[in-house]
């Protein structure tokens, strides 16, 4: 068995009320029984929200959900973050605008990551 992660990233880099947005997302996931409401040690290094029974209804292959694993939870981050998959690589990065898989494109993330801009343009837009 290998590690697997999915990151859901909003189109908007900055919200006026980060905590309100985070709480709304969490309430939605808890109300649909996708994650447990209580924080637990289900993620590495921090506390997170463990997977719950309703998760089986939102995935295409529920038999692969990691219910049996101790580390199987949701971490919510409201800071600018560049997710690193370590040595596992990334299979897909789907642009929400053009719907292309842009995983193999070159990215310049410095000005976005440092907060100088909220605009992170798809590399495919630069080619057009």
């Amino acid at each position: 068995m290998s590690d697997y992660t999915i990151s859901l990233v909003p189109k908007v880099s900055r919200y006026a009320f980060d905590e309100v947005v985070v709480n709304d997302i969490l309430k939605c996931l808890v109300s649909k029984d996708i994650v447990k409401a209580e924080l637990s040690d289900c993620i590495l290094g921090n506390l997170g929200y463990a997977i719950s029974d309703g998760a089986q209804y939102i995935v295409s292959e529920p038999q692969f959900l990691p219910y049996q694993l101790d580390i199987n939870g949701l971490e919510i981050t409201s800071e600018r973050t560049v997710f690193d998959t370590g040595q596992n690589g990334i299979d897909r990065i789907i642009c929400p605008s053009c719907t292309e898989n842009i995983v193999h494109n070159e990215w310049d993330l410095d000005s976005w990551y440092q907060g100088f801009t909220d605009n992170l343009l798809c590399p495919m837009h630069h080619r057009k």
Side-chain angles (χ1 to χ4, degrees), residues 5-10 12 43 46 73-93 103 107 109 112-113 120:
T5 182
I6 296 174
S7 299
L8 304 176
V9 182
V12 178
I43 63 172
N46 295 311
L74 169 70
E75 177 179 14
I76 299 176
T77 303
S78 60
E79 303 168 351
R80 288 175 193 249
T81 304
V82 176
F83 297 96
D84 184 346
T85 62
Q87 297 174 348
N88 294 330
I90 297 175
D91 295 329
R92 292 182 295 184
I93 298 176
V103 71
W107 287 81
L109 301 174
W112 174 84
Y113 185 73
L120 185 59

Side-chain angles (χ1 to χ4, degrees), residues 4-78:
Y4 190 78
T5 182
I6 296 174
S7 299
L8 304 176
V9 182
K11 291 182 185 181
V12 178
S13 295
R14 188 184 325 242
Y15 291 96
F17 304 99
D18 284 349
E19 284 301 314
V20 172
V21 173
V22 168
N23 287 334
D24 286 349
I25 292 169
L26 182 58
K27 283 179 191 175
C28 177
L29 295 173
V30 169
S31 73
K32 297 178 186 298
D33 195 35
I34 296 167
V35 297
K36 304 280 186 195
E38 318 78 39
L39 283 168
S40 68
D41 61 354
C42 64
I43 63 172
L44 293 173
N46 295 311
L47 294 177
Y49 299 92
I51 192 172
S52 194
D53 294 336
Q56 66 185 317
Y57 302 113
I58 63 164
V59 298
S60 58
E61 296 177 324
Q63 69 273 20
F64 295 117
L65 287 170
Y67 291 112
Q68 75 284 2
L69 299 178
D70 292 335
I71 304 300
N72 68 1
L74 169 70
E75 177 179 14
I76 299 176
T77 303
S78 60

Side-chain angles (χ1 to χ4, degrees), residues 80 108-120:
R80 288 175 193 249
D108 180 11
L109 301 174
D110 287 339
S111 60
W112 174 84
Y113 185 73
Q114 294 175 21
F116 297 133
T117 182
D118 289 334
N119 299 323
L120 185 59

